[in-house]
Amino acid sequence: QVQPVESGGGLVQPGGSLRLSCASSGSFFSISFVGWYRQAPGKQRELVAASTTSTSTIYADSVKGRFTISRDNAKNTVYLKMNSLKTEDTTVYYCRPGATWGLGTQVTVSS
């Protein structure tokens, strides 16, 4: 099965940008739904963005216009470009190609 590994998290100031990457040992060609989720301590895990096809995407209202999801099936990699970051975006972000979860990467937005 797909074993995703997230990277690209870190510390950034409000208004800054980060790009998260999710690499898989499996193939994304057979996965129709690839999603980015986030879960802050004490909160439920929520969908941030998803790529359902090569051209179709889904975004949470809280990140629309700021985040962009994309994937490169040939490289078995999905990306989440995060712009205009806010302190509210601080949390652990998880990648989920199909039904397999990654271990997460920490994003901290603070001045």
Side-chain angles (χ1 to χ4, degrees):
Q1 293 185 333
V2 177
Q3 294 180 267
V5 178
E6 301 94 337
S7 63
L11 175 64
V12 65
Q13 294 184 349
S17 299
L18 287 173
R19 189 180 76 160
L20 307 184
S21 298
C22 175
S24 174
S25 61
S27 176
F28 282 2
F29 287 106
S30 62
I31 303 174
S32 60
F33 188 97
V34 181
W36 281 99
Y37 300 75
R38 63 186 180 187
Q39 184 175 22
K43 296 183 179 180
Q44 295 292 313
R45 188 170 298 185
E46 64 175 347
L47 178 68
V48 176
S51 174
T52 57
T53 67
S54 61
T55 57
S56 298
T57 57
I58 300 172
Y59 295 97
D61 289 339
S62 60
V63 305
K64 284 184 177 179
R66 300 189 297 121
F67 292 8
T68 302
I69 187 173
S70 62
R71 57 163 144 175
D72 188 334
N73 288 341
K75 297 181 180 179
N76 294 330
T77 303
V78 62
Y79 306 95
L80 183 67
K81 185 64 170 66
M82 310 164 70
N83 296 323
S84 302
L85 284 164
K86 305 175 181 179
T87 56
E88 305 95 278
D89 297 319
T90 296
T91 187
V92 178
Y93 286 73
Y94 300 87
C95 176
R96 190 190 183 190
T100 305
W101 292 99
L103 297 178
T105 184
Q106 177 70 47
V107 171
T108 302
V109 185
S110 177
S111 60

